[in-house]
Amino acid sequence: MVTLTQAAANWLAFALAFGAALVLTLCLCAWLTPRAWWWRPNARALGVLGAGTAAGGTLLLAMFGTPAPGPQLVQSAQEQEAAGVEVPVAGARYRVHDALNLRVAGGIGAARLLVVPAGARVEATGLRDGDWWQVRATVDGKAVEGWASSLWLRRADE
């Protein structure tokens, strides 16, 4: 779920990236092309501006990225039913399907805290970031909280 402020931040990031790319393209074209080339608008000039803006905006977005929505707390069963997908419910217990990497953040690029063995039980905190859920587990007598891929979790009653 993206809130209005996150949608506005994403829109603003796109507008700034492509606006800056348009200005840079105009400056480069004015500097690198003959003055007579700009006297009369033509398809070639429009193509150069369009391609430069698209390439530059895409490059700026790739370099600086867009604001990503953060973890979300799902609070009600109505939200779960409306979404049509299984989401973690705070306090719900899950069984680990296979050896599970527990990470410091959602995503495979995040550092691994530890490996939870197959068959172990974990408890959802209710936070999620896409398919990544924050869970609590006890491994070797040590309680730990981290992020896990929901693909490796099964409801405890299954």
Side-chain angles (χ1 to χ4, degrees):
M1 164 182 6
V2 175
T3 64
L4 182 60
T5 56
Q6 291 168 340
N10 285 337
W11 183 87
L12 182 62
F14 278 96
L16 287 174
F18 285 98
L22 176 63
V23 169
L24 287 172
T25 302
L26 283 169
C27 291
L28 281 173
C29 285
W31 185 50
L32 296 174
T33 59
R35 211 177 282 268
W37 197 64
W38 292 96
W39 285 354
R40 191 175 59 208
N42 56 40
R44 178 179 58 182
L46 184 61
V48 168
L49 285 177
T53 301
T58 303
L59 180 65
L60 287 172
L61 285 175
M63 286 173 41
F64 299 109
T66 58
Q72 303 158 359
L73 179 59
V74 177
Q75 298 174 348
S76 68
Q78 290 83 8
E79 288 181 32
Q80 296 172 30
E81 292 172 10
V85 295
E86 182 162 348
V87 293
V89 178
R93 303 210 25 104
Y94 294 89
R95 181 178 46 83
V96 175
H97 175 65
D98 200 355
L100 176 72
N101 290 324
L102 204 59
R103 299 184 181 274
V104 296
I108 58 172
R112 183 172 43 189
L113 289 171
L114 56 89
V115 177
V116 180
R121 305 280 183 181
V122 297
E123 180 181 326
T125 65
L127 291 176
R128 74 179 176 99
D129 187 7
D131 285 337
W132 292 86
W133 296 359
Q134 188 179 44
V135 296
R136 290 184 196 101
T138 303
V139 178
D140 297 329
K142 178 181 162 189
V144 65
E145 191 172 280
W147 291 83
S149 172
S150 61
L151 301 175
W152 297 104
L153 301 175
R154 302 291 181 264
R155 285 192 312 262
D157 59 355
E158 282 184 355

